[in-house]
């Protein structure tokens, strides 16, 4: 009889030759539990997904209630489905006035695809500006605006007309012109190792897009819903996008994404041709019910307002000669170390000691710190002590 691990390796497609192969039987709050009952602190929230932790009871109850009513009925946009309508209504209520229309998708990558199409359709232009070291997903369009050639070269040709500029470098804004359909940027770069732009730069970027008629797409797939200490990270910079991208924490643990814009911009998908963007499972009613419940918990418990204090505590605790920098905002942080080999050893030791962390796609010498927003100060101390202990252990070798 094959074990579950053997079946996983035999039948499930692999993305590397060295998967972690951890087997979890249940999860609750900030913890995941393996088959032996060992608890692991999820210090990366499933890569930015589990802002409320695992199995929030309010979200679980919303899922169960919707299951008793209906699941899939029809491709997105045809039927009036209560979970979609109520979720969109709630999102619009907490967003700036120009973000009026929500298009639900299955994932963040699909939200990127829809937003790029929308920008080109509305402006009638073809050029796209993206950023070095950016990450927006792995589908062909999203890959086209990824700023790391190593992960793209095997899949060319990709979208034409994509030009890359430097992140938070004002001199490069000159390359945004009246030929540019859109500028797509992570409000805070994630896979680059958590890079926070200057406020003056973001304001200048917004102004340059206004000047040239280019649409500004803000990718908040990782940063939204309190992760950076505000409901949306763009609030830190005093700007508003033309198109906003959401996913990850949007669904409270269920798969859902969205691109959001004004009615005037979004309406351009309705004709010439009709059905300008379609999706079968986007806005699945169970996912939308979960997302609405998660958003209600986030707002009711004021979780975003607690993030800054927790960031301060983490920065106070993660002090060590081997740590070159702690970088980021809110509970979206990167610990920069000397090199990947040391980082990987420390990460592996942390996992042995019951803390799940990870490295970044475009910054392999940095460790990811992005716990659920519900993490307590005592739990932060426990996790940070394990990180420091792991650093000391690995430096002895």
């Amino acid at each position: 009889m094959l074990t579950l691990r053997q079946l996983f390796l035999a039948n499930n497609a692999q993305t590397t030759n060295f998967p972690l192969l951890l087997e979890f039987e249940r999860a609750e709050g900030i913890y995941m539990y393996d088959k032996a009952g060992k608890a692991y602190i999820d210090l990366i929230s499933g890569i930015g997904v589990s802002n409320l932790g695992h199995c929030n009871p309010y979200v679980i109850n919303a899922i169960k209630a919707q299951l008793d009513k209906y699941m899939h009925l029809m491709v997105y946009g045809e039927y009036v489905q209560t979970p979609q309508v109520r979720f969109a209504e709630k999102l619009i209520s907490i967003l700036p006035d120009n973000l009026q229309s929500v298009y639900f998708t299955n994932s963040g990558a699909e939200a990127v695809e829809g937003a790029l199409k929308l920008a080109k359709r509305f402006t009638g232009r073809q050029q796209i500006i993206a950023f070095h070291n950016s990450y927006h997903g792995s589908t062909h369009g999203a890959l086209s605006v990824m700023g790391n050639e190593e992960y793209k070269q095997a899949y060319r040709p990709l979208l034409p007309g994509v030009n890359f500029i430097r992140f938070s470098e004002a001199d490069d804004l000159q390359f945004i012109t009246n030929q540019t359909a859109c500028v797509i940027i992570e409000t805070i770069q994630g896979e680059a190792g958590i890079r926070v732009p200057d406020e003056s730069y973001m304001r200048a970027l917004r102004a340059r897009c206004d000047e040239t008629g280019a649409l500004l797409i803000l990718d908040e797939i990782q940063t939204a819903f309190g992760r950076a200490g505000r409901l949306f990270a763009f609030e830190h910079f005093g700007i508003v996008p033309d198109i906003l991208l959401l996913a990850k924490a949007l669904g409270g643990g269920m798969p859902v994404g969205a691109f959001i814009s004004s009615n005037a911009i979004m309406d351009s998908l309705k004709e010439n041709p009709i059905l300008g963007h379609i999706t079968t499972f986007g806005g699945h009613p169970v996912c939308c019910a979960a997302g609405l419940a998660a958003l209600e918990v986030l707002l009711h418990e004021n979780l975003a307002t607690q993030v800054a204090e927790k960031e301060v505590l983490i920065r106070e605790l993660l002090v060590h000669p081997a740590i070159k920098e702690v970088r980021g905002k809110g509970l979206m942080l990167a610990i920069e170390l000397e090199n990947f080999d040391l980082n990987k050893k420390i990460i592996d030791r942390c996992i042995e000691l019951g803390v799940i962390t990870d490295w970044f796609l475009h910054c392999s010498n940095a460790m990811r710190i992005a716990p659920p927003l519900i993490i307590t100060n005592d739990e932060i101390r426990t996790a940070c002590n394990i990180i420091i202990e792991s650093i000391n252990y690995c430096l002895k070798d």
Side-chain angles (χ1 to χ4, degrees):
M1 178 72 71
L2 293 177
T3 66
L4 195 64
R5 180 174 299 190
Q6 290 170 326
L7 288 169
F8 169 77
L9 291 171
N11 300 329
N12 292 75
Q14 305 296 303
T15 57
T16 74
N17 290 318
F18 43 88
L20 289 174
L21 293 177
L22 297 167
E23 295 183 52
F24 295 111
E25 290 208 328
R26 65 185 182 91
E28 183 177 355
I30 71 161
Y31 297 98
M32 301 183 292
Y33 299 88
D34 67 15
K35 296 176 67 174
K38 179 181 176 180
Y40 295 76
I41 295 174
D42 185 358
L43 208 61
I44 55 176
S45 304
I47 313 295
V49 170
S50 305
N51 276 16
L52 302 184
H54 298 279
C55 291
N56 179 276
Y58 189 75
V59 175
I60 296 297
N61 288 336
I63 292 170
K64 290 178 177 178
Q66 182 58 39
L67 284 172
D68 288 337
K69 296 174 182 176
Y70 59 83
M71 291 190 283
H72 176 73
L73 299 180
M74 177 56 160
V75 295
Y76 181 72
E78 295 295 328
Y79 295 165
V80 179
Q81 300 186 49
T82 299
Q84 293 176 357
V85 173
R86 294 304 182 198
F87 193 17
E89 178 187 34
K90 191 68 174 182
L91 285 168
I92 295 303
S93 74
I94 61 172
L95 284 167
D97 290 344
N98 69 307
L99 298 174
Q100 308 158 325
S101 182
V102 180
Y103 193 117
F104 288 117
T105 64
N106 297 285
S107 67
E110 190 190 345
V112 171
E113 301 284 346
L116 295 177
K117 288 173 61 179
L118 177 61
K120 294 168 76 172
R121 175 68 186 86
F122 181 76
T123 63
R125 304 173 183 179
Q126 298 181 0
Q127 184 194 69
I128 297 168
I129 297 289
F131 289 81
H132 294 298
N133 292 321
S134 60
Y135 180 82
H136 301 285
S138 291
T139 52
H140 260 70
L143 196 63
S144 300
V145 293
M146 179 197 286
N148 187 322
E149 188 60 30
E150 178 184 356
Y151 290 94
K152 298 164 59 170
Q153 59 186 359
Y155 305 103
R156 291 191 176 279
L158 297 169
L159 281 181
V162 180
N163 295 330
F164 289 86
I165 63 177
R166 294 172 295 172
F167 186 76
S168 202
E169 290 286 344
D171 288 347
D172 285 9
L173 296 180
Q174 64 180 306
F175 298 113
I176 304 168
T177 72
N178 58 12
Q179 301 300 310
T180 306
C182 62
V183 177
I184 180 168
I185 183 173
E186 297 160 272
T187 313
I188 297 171
Q189 280 196 328
E191 294 307 313
I194 316 299
R195 309 288 175 171
V196 182
D198 294 331
E199 181 178 344
S200 61
Y201 173 80
M202 295 299 278
R203 290 178 180 271
L205 171 62
R206 175 69 271 180
R208 182 62 176 167
C209 288
D210 291 339
E211 179 185 350
T212 60
L215 298 186
L216 178 59
I217 302 174
L218 289 187
D219 180 341
E220 295 241 3
I221 290 168
Q222 284 199 62
T223 55
F225 304 113
R227 173 61 52 195
R230 304 287 286 271
L231 281 179
F232 302 97
F234 64 75
E235 297 175 40
H236 286 294
F237 305 103
I239 64 168
V240 176
D242 298 299
I243 305 174
L244 176 66
L245 306 181
L246 302 174
K248 290 190 179 288
L250 177 66
M254 295 290 282
V256 62
F259 57 101
I260 305 175
S261 192
S262 67
N263 289 323
I265 294 173
M266 197 70 81
D267 282 352
S268 63
L269 292 177
K270 292 162 59 174
E271 55 187 5
N272 299 318
I274 64 169
L275 302 173
H277 191 71
I278 53 178
T279 173
T280 298
F281 291 111
H284 191 282
V286 178
C287 298
C288 285
L292 175 59
L295 182 53
E296 289 173 340
V297 172
L298 182 77
L299 296 173
H300 181 262
E301 297 187 6
N302 295 313
L303 291 177
T305 63
Q306 304 168 28
V307 167
E309 177 185 335
K310 293 174 181 180
E311 177 191 353
V312 170
L313 179 58
I314 291 172
R315 288 181 179 275
E316 289 175 352
L317 294 169
L318 292 180
V319 176
H320 191 283
I323 296 176
K324 301 175 71 174
E325 182 182 13
V326 177
R327 188 173 52 244
K329 186 174 282 293
L331 291 178
M332 186 177 178
L333 302 171
I335 303 173
E336 186 165 339
L337 298 157
E338 185 64 32
N339 53 53
F340 172 73
D341 289 340
L342 177 60
N343 189 30
K344 185 65 167 61
K345 288 178 183 178
I346 294 167
I347 289 170
D348 291 345
R349 180 59 178 172
C350 284
I351 292 173
E352 289 178 20
L353 297 179
V355 168
I356 303 292
T357 181
D358 198 6
W359 47 279
F360 295 93
L361 203 59
H362 306 332
C363 187
S364 62
N365 67 318
M367 180 190 299
R368 187 188 308 263
I369 304 294
L373 308 190
I374 63 168
I375 193 169
T376 66
N377 287 350
D378 284 344
E379 289 165 340
I380 287 172
R381 291 186 183 94
T382 297
C384 289
N385 286 341
I386 288 174
I387 291 171
I388 296 297
E389 180 182 341
S390 297
I391 292 173
N392 289 329
Y393 178 86
C394 293
L395 288 175
K396 289 190 302 184
D397 295 343

